[in-house]
Amino acid sequence: MTLVVFLVLLFTAVPIALVLALTAIWYIGSSGNTVLFESYPQQLFGAIESYGLLAIPLFMLAGELMNEGGLTKRLINLARILVGGFRGGLAYINLVANMMMAAIMGSAASQIAIMSRAMVPAMEKEGYDKPFSAAITAAGGLLSPIIPPSMLFVLFGVLAQVPIAEMFIAGIIPGLIMSFLFFLVISLMGLVHLYPKGEWPSREQALEYLLMGLPAGLIPVLIIGGILTGLATPTESAALASLGALLIGKFVYKDLQFSHLFGILRRTAINSGMVILLIAAAGVFGWVIVFEEIPQNAAAWIAGQTSDPFVFLLMVVGILLLVGMVLDGIAALILVVPILLPIAQLQFGISPYQFGVVVCLTLVMGLLTPPVGAGLFIASSMTGSSPLSIFRALLPFLLATLVTLVLLSWKGSLVTMLL
């Protein structure tokens, strides 16, 4: 009956945080166990009593400040110096700029929204197909869960009780692999469709872009450098990134006005509050899952299907592709990690870092796949292209992502080599 309540709430468009919280209350009520009921508030607040979760609102704040402060467009100009002269130059610029933004924002949805506004009109003006322009911008959002920092990695680190800094480091090589495959896709599509030849900036322009882009480029260096050297925790790096974005936007580029700060803080508070509420609700739901011994039962079933870790991870990818199509990535992560991670570690000896990278990347693909596909609708609303046309143009990038997932499932050393 509890499962029926969960499914009814889920498919009647009740917010996922309320679905989880109300399902847990229903289970406790139907069980008649007063001890569980008395422990409910403790479990609710206990789920968010983690210092690492502070990184989520701070990275959101850094992204908002960068966009308002003009740092985003300077990063795009910086990318022009690196790849602007190749055939399909703006497509490469779009991808490189997305890589830079992925190293700052950590949120695929926010990244797609910001980069769609910045890149798609410019690409369309130079003769690129609008759905392709929107698709490559949306594909760039797939880099956000694995190029550090990543909000999904923060959450996975809390759920799996592994160091968040090490999760960030684990995402570097997979992020570079997927970026290379995306570059390859753009190159092949450029040859087939004869995309416009790019132009290298003149020496004077390149120098201007470099000088103006260096302050903005310091933000990802500040985040990743602080984490890799051990000088700052991910949460401290997020705070430093927010401070850096504020100072650069206000005093270097002078695009950021203090009058904008209230709106920035308000948006950050609303967005991060939704995430934290979801985590709290999922904490009690996960408690119910463990109490019902669902992970143990699932482990017994999977053990009967295969004993190969590679096959197990491929099964996980297939299941989570379906889950990600109907559930938000954060909600899905909270639901599946308590069930599948113990099986991966104890039954198959899979590293939590390999498992975390594979799961996070798979779930974010759901952001760009029907029927829900929130990322598709964000890109559509920002560009005016239909979600279906964007999805068709996006298929080669989704295929490249699947190739990345197979590689990471096959060779766990690709994830752990820097640890």
Side-chain angles (χ1 to χ4, degrees), residues 7-15 19:
L7 293 175
V8 167
L9 291 173
L10 182 65
F11 289 104
T12 50
V14 175
V19 172

Side-chain angles (χ1 to χ4, degrees), residues 198-224:
E199 292 184 7
W200 295 106
S202 66
R203 183 175 299 179
E204 293 77 13
Q205 281 181 318
L207 183 60
E208 179 187 352
Y209 291 161
L210 182 62
L211 292 176
M212 294 301 289
L214 280 178
L218 286 175
I219 302 297
V221 172
L222 192 66
I223 295 172
I224 299 173

Side-chain angles (χ1 to χ4, degrees), residues 59 101-108 111 144-145 147-152:
F59 280 126
M101 291 300 293
I104 298 164
M105 299 197 66
S107 167
Q111 187 174 325
S144 67
I147 293 182
S150 162
M151 280 192 288
L152 284 182

Side-chain angles (χ1 to χ4, degrees), residues 44 174 182 269 307 407 419:
L44 193 68
F182 280 8
S307 59
L407 285 174
L419 296 175

Side-chain angles (χ1 to χ4, degrees), residues 23-46:
T23 302
I25 290 174
W26 175 274
Y27 170 79
I28 293 168
S30 62
S31 70
N33 191 328
T34 57
V35 175
L36 290 179
F37 186 77
E38 291 167 359
S39 301
Y40 186 94
Q42 181 182 354
Q43 294 294 330
L44 193 68
F45 287 99

